Amino acid sequence: QVQLVESGGGLVQPGGSLRLSCLTSGSIFSINGMRWYRQAPGKEREWVASISGSSTNYVDSVKGRFTISRDAVKNTVYLQMNNLTPEDTAVYYCNADIKRRMIDGYSKYWGQGTQVTVSS
């Protein structure tokens, strides 16, 4: 069994900051890429940021404001979000490519999401 559990969401005023965490646990042999997505009400799920090794990538709308990082020892990926705007309001999900056994290929796993609301 593999679990991804996000935390750190909440209500924040415009211009504020939040740090999301996503802890992976369970029967895991190896983790490759990890990502954050978000889904705003009435919209499609959107990729936000990804990290693989030392390489990071971001959707244009969050560049310069969000930072993705990873603690490989703790199997945790973070998303530091600064200068938040109401347009960042969404449920944020983490996603990881996980190999459960050495002989397996990588499969994608999702967390359950954490709500981020930016409002005054």
Side-chain angles (χ1 to χ4, degrees), residues 41-83:
K43 294 189 176 181
E44 298 279 322
R45 189 172 295 190
E46 171 190 41
W47 165 77
V48 175
S50 59
I51 184 167
S52 180
S54 60
S55 177
T56 59
N57 288 282
Y58 301 91
V59 67
D60 284 346
S61 60
V62 308
K63 283 181 180 177
R65 301 188 299 121
F66 290 12
T67 303
I68 188 170
S69 61
R70 177 179 170 181
D71 185 327
V73 174
K74 295 182 179 179
N75 280 344
T76 300
V77 63
Y78 304 97
L79 187 67
Q80 177 67 43
M81 306 186 295
N82 299 329
N83 195 19

Side-chain angles (χ1 to χ4, degrees), residues 10-111:
L11 174 64
V12 63
Q13 292 186 340
S17 297
L18 283 174
R19 188 193 194 207
L20 305 183
S21 300
C22 175
L23 170 66
T24 61
S25 63
S27 177
I28 297 172
F29 175 80
S30 174
I31 300 176
N32 196 0
M34 302 186 79
R35 305 163 198 87
W36 287 97
Y37 287 75
R38 65 186 179 186
Q39 188 166 19
K43 294 189 176 181
E44 298 279 322
R45 189 172 295 190
E46 171 190 41
W47 165 77
V48 175
S50 59
I51 184 167
S52 180
S54 60
S55 177
T56 59
N57 288 282
Y58 301 91
V59 67
D60 284 346
S61 60
V62 308
K63 283 181 180 177
R65 301 188 299 121
F66 290 12
T67 303
I68 188 170
S69 61
R70 177 179 170 181
D71 185 327
V73 174
K74 295 182 179 179
N75 280 344
T76 300
V77 63
Y78 304 97
L79 187 67
Q80 177 67 43
M81 306 186 295
N82 299 329
N83 195 19
L84 285 160
T85 73
E87 288 68 37
D88 296 314
T89 295
V91 178
Y92 284 72
Y93 299 88
C94 69
N95 165 280
D97 298 329
I98 294 174
K99 180 184 288 193
R100 296 188 62 187
R101 301 176 299 172
M102 186 174 66
I103 62 172
D104 292 335
Y106 284 96
S107 297
K108 293 189 186 298
Y109 291 84
W110 291 88

